[in-house]
Amino acid sequence: MPKMTGAQVVLECLKREGVDVVFGLPGGVLLPLYDAIYHSDIRHILVRHEQGAAHMADGYARSTGKVGVCIATSGPGATNLVTGIATAFMDSVPLVAITGQVNTFLIGKDAFQEADITGITMPITKHSYLLRDAKDIPLVFREAFYIARTGRPGPVLIDLPRDVTVAELEFYWPDVKLAGYNPSTRVHEMQIKRAAKDLMEAERPVIYVGGGVKFADANKELITFAEKLNAPVTTTLMGVGCFPEDHTLSLGMLGMHGTKYANFAIQESDLIMAIGARFDDRVTGKITSFAPKAKIIHIDIDPAEIGKNVRVDIPVVGDAKNALAALLKEVQAKPRSAWNDKIDQWKLDYPLKYIPDPNIIKPQYVIEKICELAPDAIITTEVGQNQMWAAQFYIHKDPRKFISSGGLGTMGYGFPAAIGAKIGNPDCDVIDIAGDGSFLMNSQELATAVVNDISVKVAILNNGCLGMVRQWQELFFGKRYSATILGRTSPDFVKLAEAYGALGLRATKPSEVESVIRTALASDKPVVMDFIINPMEKVSPMVPAGAAISEILDLEWCEETEISAMDKMLVSGRYVSREECA
Amino acid sequence: MKHTIAVILENKSGALSRIAGLFSRRSFNIDSLSVGATDNPDYSRMTISVRGDRVVLEQVIKQLSKLINVIRVSELDPAESLERELAVIKVSTDRENRAEIMQLVDIFRAKIIDVSARSMIIEVTGDEEKIDAIVLLFRQFGIKEMARTGKVSMVRGTRVIKA
Ligand SMILES: Cc1ncc(C[n+]2csc(CCOP(=O)(O)OP(=O)(O)O)c2C)c(N)n1
């Protein structure tokens, strides 16, 4: 067999792992690797900031179920990936991050652009490698992809010193044998039987679904299972879409900004079956008051999640799809019950709502219109109010079509993630629901979208402020808007889009919303839609931090004086005290 | 509650720092940690002494098991296992107390491994309590310096903890 360079071997490995696209940006130590990319048929998307590369690979992975790959050079390139890797880690996204590293003989000498990236990312990767010997390349790449995509998925980092990429070796394709890694996907039969028995006996069951159902592609099994038992289903932010929200058994999202009826159902339930979810504090509220009357069944592929945050009565370790299939065999169909009626009544009494306005655009209205005009789109989100409204007011039906940074809450995630998702799903509408604050954190990727003809759409819910933080200041910090006022015109998003060669559109009145969305969807360009929304709008309902999730409040509309004070701030782009305002 | 855990890990770069990092990141309390070779050159064995209730212990074991370089994690039941630690202690000596120190060394079956005009180095092995006891006794003479290895532990009888 002829010898190949390390860089060529890397590309051969990527090809054999089924990689068709990588996201990255080159640098000194990566010159040999990029030369191999030049000769390869793997598609390389050149980003404008490495954080964008990590989020694109992440959005690609979440929307397709494949492993996403991003590449960055040593030192600053590698550290620019960190936020993206942490985002993927918190949400269990399969990612392989390849970083350039200085020559092996320079490692540890503070060489130019040296950073200990395996050390920096140790707590935010599932595993990582510093590849010191070219002959290990095939083994390391095989292991990395295997680890990233199996068990509870997650990011794996491979640090690739420059001299390793130019060394020569004979290609080989090893089997993966990892003594310390055997993710158990099969479920324990006894535990399934116990869970099934409790489910049959429960009078007020609730199925609480997280992202694990998405990663296991178990949504079909979930629907069949819930229907068989007539059990209501609520999802976390990560689980949004795993159960169709137009289904009669759907309770929508639970937790801090969940529906009232989902939270009420949890608090009244006598049996909660958690599946692929991790009892995050945004979900449970005050943990000691969470689901006080319920037994808890917890199904998760990661044994360390079981019993981490709450006591569990029946732990089931395993893959969500296998667990649901096994449970399905053990349970008999149950008819509708008084519990279902009670929940339906709650749904009627406490729907998600907002006060429409004929003159000023309400963000919820924008989302409803997007849902009406693009009902099967992939929706990505930024972080903040925009994220919550996108979760609440779009009717999500498909597990891989709601993409949001849940665990880390990374502003700037949604736009590059949308680009990655669009590359993985070129025939699908992909829309990033954004805030004006978040969008600016990665807006440079407009260049990437335009140059590569990736026609993603961004819907900025422009409230002129860091809305979610402002909401908390309004409610809990005496309306002192410290460092949350951005101003209306910083910058002009239509002009910004145009500067990059994208299409910019603006709606300032409710009557313009529909035509802006239609124009955006019809365009084959990347589009930025700037919706000038009511700046004082709050995400409602809301569980105050530290309260039980049944203590969920409707948030009221603001007084006139506050609105005019806010108007002044938006014009000046800074906080205006009440004295100044009067 | 104190618990003793034996961890078999691969001798690979970063394996140790992954384990150390895990303890600090998840705020687990460790009292002692020792690591060294096993009969197989590919693996090391670590003995960790952790403090916490059952829930904490369970998390420690599960989180350790998740690390790819960790091959095995076992809790060692104190009733069924032996533990040993080695300490070297440099004690201040003078003409008057030298005899008394030597007597203590005898009682504890410790060893004097260095003698000079004003100090002695004493080597002692045993379980934690024994070492704590001897340290306490030597305090009266003045301990100039001390180094302890942290304990190693093994289950009695035929049960084997290996890769
Ligand atoms: C990178 C990052 N920095 C800071 C925060 C804290 N934070 C959470 S929401 C939010 C406001 C987001 O503002 P914007 O993007 O305009 O969205 P809105 O809430 O107004 O919809 C901030 C600053 C964060 N989540 N991520």
Side-chain angles (χ1 to χ4, degrees), chain A residues 4 11 19 21 74 98 104 160 205 239 312 379 390 413 419 429 452 506 546 565:
Chain A
M4 294 162 77
L11 280 143
V19 175
V21 58
S74 67
I98 302 169
T104 46
L160 201 58
V312 169
I379 300 294
Y413 168 79
I419 295 176
D429 286 322
N452 293 289
R506 178 171 293 124

Side-chain angles (χ1 to χ4, degrees), chain B residues 89-106:
Chain B
I89 309 166
K90 190 177 284 178
V91 188
S92 304
T93 54
D94 52 35
R95 219 166 286 198
E96 276 123 61
N97 66 16
R98 195 165 282 162
E100 196 181 340
I101 290 175
M102 286 166 72
Q103 231 174 4
L104 280 174
V105 164
D106 251 6

Side-chain angles (χ1 to χ4, degrees), chain A residues 83 382-387 389 408-412 434-439 441 461 463 465-469 486:
Chain A
T83 303
E382 300 295 341
V383 169
Q385 294 178 313
N386 58 83
Q387 181 180 32
W389 288 321
L408 200 67
T410 308
M411 289 170 70
D436 45 333
S438 297
F439 180 64
M441 289 206 181
L461 305 174
N463 53 11
C465 44
L466 300 170
M468 186 58 99
V469 183
L486 302 169

Side-chain angles (χ1 to χ4, degrees), chain A residues 274-330:
Chain A
I275 175 154
R278 60 186 176 89
F279 297 88
D280 172 83
D281 53 286
R282 283 290 188 264
V283 160
T284 61
K286 187 177 171 193
I287 194 103
T288 47
S289 322
F290 179 74
K293 303 171 187 169
K295 264 194 165 181
I296 293 180
I297 302 170
H298 191 180
I299 304 172
D300 206 288
I301 192 138
D302 180 357
E305 282 305 338
I306 296 177
K308 186 177 83 178
N309 293 342
V310 295
R311 54 151 189 91
V312 169
D313 299 288
I314 305 182
V316 181
V317 176
D319 166 272
K321 197 181 181 90
N322 293 344
L324 282 167
L327 274 171
L328 207 52
K329 287 198 203 122
E330 294 292 330

Side-chain angles (χ1 to χ4, degrees), chain A residues 154-172:
Chain A
V156 178
L157 182 131
I158 303 172
D159 202 17
L160 201 58
R162 188 193 161 279
D163 48 349
V164 170
T165 62
V166 296
E168 295 199 331
L169 69 150
E170 262 176 38
F171 185 81
Y172 64 101

